[in-house]
Amino acid sequence: MDARSPETSGLSGLIPTGAELAVLGTGATWSEGPVWIPATQSVRWSDIPADRILEYSTIDGSLSVYATDVEFTNGRTLDRDGSVIQCSHGRRRVERDRGGAVTPIVDSYNGVRLNSPNDVVVAADGSIWFSDPPYGIVVSIEGHPGEREYGDNFVFRHDLETGETRPVIIDIEEPNGLAFSPDGSILYVSDTSAALRSVGGNHHIRAYDVDGTRCKNGRVFAVIEDGMSDGFRVDIEGNVWTSTASGVTIYSPDGGRLGHIAVPETVSNLCFGGPDGTTLFITATTSLYSIATSTRDATTTPACAQEA
Ligand code: MG
């Protein structure tokens, strides 16, 4: 394990004194979609261009290839039963991995295929909310080039009980990362539509009031001047921890910039985990990093951080 003292400006209440940024594993092409898996005390993430899923064990510090030929998985989250919900660019769907058995959850809207689901969260009511930008149907290193069959890029809510898939946000150009506030009343979604363009597009996080199964009052929460907010998480205080080109930037619930953790590679995404839920795991280009924090994910209690 390589460790270094990070630049953690403005984060005295969130990062313990002396915390070190550690490289846990490297050798990936483009890392994304980390999730903490309590049952195995491991972090699982996507190496999208290599079309494989990697896993790092905090028990013995080992890095392993969890699966290959996975149809370009991207973002993932843990469902309440401990199974993993993940996005597949190649299969143009959201799917479930339960003990290595992968089954579809949702792959269509209104009779046509989704674009390439990018990131996913589970709401308090058990419904699955996911972003559907075009990044997995544009270039062959991230999926299979194809058409946007419903002609847009939405955020959807999928109801597991009724099977209904409904757009909840339609005014983001290219939605990407997403996360709920601690009480579920706000949904944050990033727009990374500047990613594929030389000029124009957005690189910000928007916030929406969640009104039952609908999102209203969309507004810009934070503009990411340093690259993109590809992926992010919200802590128990409601702070938003987002990827940027040079590390992880933390915003308070009112959108104020609290500070920044410098990371030597472009960051794509992150998740909280570890035995007590307070370790921040960071996927950044070729590597998985970690750093200790003084908080945990808004959706994770200490008990469920330790148990499956
Ligand atoms: Mg993403």
Side-chain angles (χ1 to χ4, degrees):
M1 180 187 298
D2 179 24
R4 66 194 77 191
S5 296
E7 175 199 332
T8 54
S9 54
L11 293 171
S12 58
L14 292 169
I15 301 291
T17 302
E20 294 181 328
L21 186 72
V23 184
L24 303 180
T26 191
T29 306
W30 177 247
S31 299
E32 243 281 23
V35 71
W36 170 252
I37 302 177
T40 54
Q41 296 285 291
S42 63
V43 181
R44 185 181 298 173
W45 78 101
S46 301
D47 182 2
I48 301 177
D51 197 19
R52 61 182 183 167
I53 299 171
L54 303 176
E55 203 160 278
Y56 173 82
S57 168
T58 62
I59 295 174
D60 60 10
S62 63
L63 173 65
S64 60
V65 177
Y66 173 75
T68 57
D69 299 320
V70 295
E71 284 298 340
F72 305 95
T73 63
N74 192 336
R76 53 176 54 78
T77 192
L78 203 67
D79 204 355
R80 294 180 299 181
D81 66 356
S83 64
V84 172
I85 297 173
Q86 64 192 18
C87 299
S88 166
H89 285 178
R91 295 189 176 105
R92 301 175 71 147
R93 74 184 189 188
V94 178
E95 59 194 22
R96 184 184 306 279
D97 182 322
R98 183 181 279 115
V102 180
T103 54
I105 295 175
V106 53
D107 63 3
S108 65
Y109 161 63
N110 220 12
V112 298
R113 287 190 296 174
L114 300 171
N115 299 330
S116 50
N118 190 293
D119 219 337
V120 58
V121 291
V122 177
D125 68 359
S127 59
I128 296 170
W129 300 51
F130 63 97
S131 60
D132 192 34
Y135 304 129
I137 55 172
V138 176
V139 291
S140 58
I141 60 168
E142 290 235 350
H144 306 299
E147 300 298 318
R148 295 187 308 168
E149 296 186 4
Y150 63 88
D152 214 319
N153 310 301
F154 293 158
V155 175
F156 290 99
R157 175 186 184 274
H158 178 75
D159 191 313
L160 286 169
E161 293 183 3
T162 66
E164 181 188 44
T165 305
R166 190 165 76 187
V168 288
I169 297 174
I170 63 171
D171 66 349
I172 292 181
E173 282 194 58
E174 293 173 4
N176 199 323
L178 71 173
F180 287 102
S181 63
D183 66 0
S185 67
I186 299 171
L187 179 66
Y188 298 98
V189 185
S190 61
D191 184 343
T192 52
S193 52
L196 298 177
R197 306 180 194 175
S198 58
V199 178
N202 296 315
H203 43 95
H204 57 221
I205 298 173
R206 290 175 63 80
Y208 293 80
D209 297 329
V210 178
D211 180 5
T213 60
R214 303 176 189 278
C215 292
K216 298 180 177 179
N217 190 30
R219 64 274 186 190
V220 173
F221 169 75
V223 177
I224 311 301
E225 301 291 356
D226 174 22
M228 305 286 168
S229 173
D230 193 340
F232 56 90
R233 306 278 176 163
V234 176
D235 70 24
I236 52 175
E237 307 288 333
N239 303 311
V240 177
W241 299 58
T242 180
S243 71
T244 73
S246 64
V248 176
T249 302
I250 299 93
Y251 294 91
S252 64
D254 66 5
R257 187 182 187 281
L258 292 176
H260 184 76
I261 304 168
V263 177
E265 299 183 83
T266 296
V267 174
S268 63
N269 214 328
L270 48 93
C271 69
F272 289 97
D276 65 357
T278 62
T279 302
L280 184 69
F281 296 100
I282 302 165
T283 48
T285 312
T286 67
S287 308
L288 178 73
Y289 295 82
S290 72
I291 188 169
T293 78
S294 305
T295 188
R296 60 175 60 88
D297 194 280
T299 62
T300 307
T301 64
C304 73
Q306 295 172 347
E307 301 169 14

